[in-house]
Amino acid sequence: MIDNIVTGFGAALSAENLLWCFVGVLLGTVIGILPGLGSATGVAILIPVTLTFPPLTALIMLAGIYHGAQFGATITAILIATPGEASSVVSTLDGYRMARQGRAGPALAISALGAFVSAMVSLFALAAVAPFFAHLALDFGPPEMLAVMILGLCTIVVFSGRNLLLGMGLGLTGILIACIGVDVGSGTPRYTFGQIDLFGGVPYVEVMIGLFAIGELLNQLHIGMAEPIKARFRDLLLTKADLKRATPATARGTVVGFLLGCLPGAGTTLASFMAYGAEKRFSKNRRKLGTGAIEGVVAPDAATNAASNANFVPTLVLGVPGGATTAVLLGAFLIYGIQPGPLLFENQPTLVWGLLASFFIGNVILLILNLPLAPVLAQLLRVRYAIMYPLIIVTSLIGAYSVKNSMLSVWIVIFFGLVGYVMKRLSFPVAPLVLGLVIGPLFEKALVQTSALSAGDTMVLLSSPTAVGILLLALLLVAGPTAAKRLRPARRGQAAGTHSSAGRPSEAPAARFPEPSLPAHRAETDSGTTQTVTESRSDNSDISSERSS
């Protein structure tokens, strides 16, 4: 493996390849910032530009666009709640709230660092275990993919908050919206109302722009435009506490992203949602998620980057695209006369390992470009909203129109902008609707394929040990929290009985009242910094009177 890596870096570090890798990363970042374009569209648009390049140089540039667009989409998701890609939707949940709290700099910086670390880890894993994961992916047929999609839909429980029925209803609504278009099984149009433009389904990029960008903008106009954020420069820098909290979240996101990215067709969006769901279950600060927690930013971004690298496992080894962007890149391989498959590593090792080495180089360039720029980009929030809001509207509508050059996309953005505004006013969670919309087509495809293979008998799921294991994990995700809550009172009752039998008084303890004055103590803020807090006598007396009443 070491020889292959040395060969790859020897090919990727030529002056020409370094130049076009830098150009690709820079163009990708700009493409990601523009709502509606995305990495798949950007790669498809720029393929004709690379036709005169050597195959390795062309692929390095296109891969740079892919990775740059991932981070560019996160920039707008954090700063103005406008995700450039579906995989960046989850970043808005905590990233935008961090920005509103004056911590846009740390949000952008930790996103860049987390993406870089996950990229490095996933690249080494990709180089070491690509053949093994390719063999594992061959065992993933439609039943196993259906089980994975069921697991993905079960994460709606995580995003539903306290109202589980509401979250499930919104997730079902997203699935129903995803049903618009041509039926996968029969090929007949459904719910299109005679609109040819809807035969391809409701484009989720336009839906994201409407729900998040326009919906948030209308909500801000309703409550009154807030003052521009004027954070101090030191508030725009990462602290040791931020890095301490982000480290385990990055590790979890990397593992989730790489495992899901190795599956054909899973893509990066599901990985980002699943990583956020893992934080909701395992993070020490899970109660703070959704309020501007740094774990909610770094985990999905790490998963997205790890999945984007792992998507090349099925693409290179099996010739099966791992996601939408790698499907476009697969077409580029064929244009350049390269046939992906099991023999590619043996027949063209210089091209394969040179491409993998360029991933490392591209992520280093991304880190060098974006980490110092994080505080600078955060200064955009100092612009008056009377100037920023019109720019957001124009950018969103132009980005939506550019997807298909159709006014229908603009109307979809406006319609779902109103839907997003109503949901914000009613405090409905947006994530379950988005998750249902994204997973709906993948779930339907896996369901139709599974049904066709088993002659309509979906119990074929139980004949696959892998599918059974994934379904048990989904069951644990849904029923685990409820079971844990029921076990806690029983444990507390047993503990109380033990203390009572040991001779301790079983009566309820007397009500505690605060002392006349309390010494200063250290309190940890959400940002991870500490501040001194002192409670005065008057504050304590107020508390005492309230508790007495």
Side-chain angles (χ1 to χ4, degrees):
M1 186 183 72
I2 300 298
D3 294 338
N4 292 327
I5 293 177
V6 172
T7 300
F9 275 100
L13 288 174
S14 69
E16 183 181 15
N17 289 339
L18 285 176
L19 172 63
W20 290 111
C21 182
F22 175 80
V23 171
V25 166
L26 186 61
L27 286 175
T29 304
V30 175
I31 288 171
I33 290 174
L34 297 175
L37 285 181
S39 58
T41 306
V43 170
I45 291 174
L46 292 175
I47 283 179
V49 178
T50 65
L51 293 179
T52 58
F53 295 175
L56 178 58
T57 304
L59 291 173
I60 285 176
M61 178 183 171
L62 296 177
I65 295 172
Y66 182 22
H67 291 104
Q70 301 287 348
F71 184 75
T74 304
I75 293 175
T76 51
I78 291 174
L79 294 181
I80 57 176
T82 308
E85 297 232 21
S87 58
S88 300
V89 167
V90 190
S91 301
T92 64
L93 301 180
D94 285 274
Y96 183 64
R97 284 174 173 80
M98 286 186 67
R100 296 299 307 159
Q101 295 164 9
R103 305 201 69 228
L108 292 170
I110 202 64
S111 175
L113 276 175
F116 175 76
V117 172
S118 68
M120 297 302 101
V121 174
S122 60
L123 283 175
F124 281 112
L126 179 62
V129 298
F132 168 75
F133 275 102
H135 178 73
L136 184 64
L138 282 174
D139 296 333
F140 261 74
E144 289 78 15
M145 288 302 300
L146 179 59
V148 171
M149 294 307 134
I150 292 174
L151 175 62
L153 288 174
C154 286
T155 57
I156 289 177
V157 176
V158 174
F159 293 97
S160 299
R162 296 182 179 180
N163 196 333
L164 179 59
L165 290 178
L166 176 62
M168 293 176 65
L170 291 172
L172 179 60
T173 302
I175 294 175
L176 292 176
I177 295 173
C179 289
I180 297 174
V182 176
D183 180 77
V184 176
S186 63
T188 57
R190 60 190 178 189
Y191 313 128
T192 58
F193 306 103
Q195 293 288 330
I196 298 178
D197 290 336
L198 289 177
F199 278 25
V202 176
Y204 54 78
V205 173
E206 287 91 317
V207 176
M208 310 304 169
I209 294 172
L211 286 175
F212 288 92
I214 306 299
E216 176 65 25
L217 187 147
L218 293 176
N219 185 51
Q220 290 292 336
L221 291 176
H222 178 87
I223 63 179
M225 288 191 294
E227 292 296 323
I229 297 173
K230 298 180 179 179
R232 297 168 297 180
F233 185 78
R234 66 181 182 182
D235 295 329
L236 302 176
L237 303 177
L238 283 170
T239 64
K240 291 183 179 179
D242 290 332
L243 295 174
K244 183 178 179 181
R245 289 175 56 179
T247 300
T250 303
R252 285 188 288 265
T254 301
V255 172
V256 171
F258 186 79
L259 293 177
L260 286 175
C262 290
L263 302 180
T268 57
T269 305
L270 180 61
S272 64
F273 275 97
M274 294 288 285
Y276 193 89
E279 291 306 300
K280 279 280 192 178
R281 287 287 178 260
F282 303 112
S283 174
K284 292 182 179 180
N285 300 294
R286 54 183 173 271
R287 296 182 182 275
K288 295 181 180 180
L289 288 173
T291 63
I294 204 162
E295 294 90 345
V297 178
V298 69
D301 287 342
T304 298
N305 229 35
S308 65
N309 288 331
N311 278 171
F312 283 89
V313 171
T315 303
L316 294 176
V317 182
L318 302 178
V320 179
T325 307
T326 48
V328 178
L329 284 171
L330 187 61
F333 273 88
L334 300 177
I335 291 174
Y336 303 135
I338 303 168
Q339 180 60 53
L343 299 178
L344 182 63
F345 281 78
E346 297 181 10
N347 295 338
Q348 301 191 51
T350 302
L351 184 140
V352 173
W353 291 103
L355 179 62
L356 295 181
S358 76
F359 296 172
F360 179 90
I361 298 169
N363 279 280
V364 170
I365 295 174
L366 265 177
L367 186 68
I368 295 173
L369 280 177
N370 294 306
L371 190 59
L373 287 177
V376 178
L377 291 171
Q379 297 298 323
L380 291 174
L381 296 175
R382 300 173 68 95
V383 179
R384 293 178 56 198
Y385 288 101
I387 299 174
M388 185 178 293
Y389 283 171
L391 292 176
I392 294 174
I393 293 176
V394 172
T395 304
S396 299
L397 296 182
I398 291 176
Y401 181 82
S402 65
V403 175
K404 293 183 178 179
N405 293 328
S406 171
M407 279 300 298
L408 180 63
S409 298
V410 176
W411 291 117
I412 290 175
V413 168
I414 294 173
F415 173 77
F416 280 97
L418 295 174
V419 172
Y421 165 71
V422 173
M423 293 180 69
K424 289 180 182 296
R425 298 308 306 164
L426 298 177
S427 299
F428 285 0
V430 180
L433 176 66
V434 174
L435 187 59
L437 180 64
V438 170
I439 297 183
L442 300 174
F443 174 77
E444 181 186 11
K445 180 181 178 181
L447 180 62
V448 170
Q449 291 176 340
T450 302
S451 178
L453 286 175
S454 59
D457 183 14
T458 54
M459 295 302 291
V460 70
L461 283 171
L462 301 182
S463 65
S464 169
T466 304
V468 171
I470 296 172
L471 290 176
L472 288 176
L473 183 60
L475 180 63
L476 181 64
L477 183 65
V478 174
T482 303
K485 288 180 182 178
R486 291 183 178 180
L487 289 174
R488 285 173 189 168
R491 291 177 180 175
R492 289 175 182 173
Q494 292 175 359
T498 303
H499 290 313
S500 178
S501 62
R504 295 193 176 185
S506 58
E507 295 84 358
R512 286 186 173 182
F513 294 95
E515 299 295 331
S517 61
L518 294 175
H521 61 277
R522 309 289 287 178
E524 185 175 358
T525 63
D526 287 346
S527 62
T529 58
T530 57
Q531 59 182 4
T532 305
V533 180
T534 307
E535 298 185 22
S536 63
R537 183 185 298 271
S538 59
D539 293 336
N540 292 323
S541 61
D542 291 340
I543 298 173
S544 300
S545 61
E546 289 175 5
R547 293 187 178 180
S548 299
S549 60

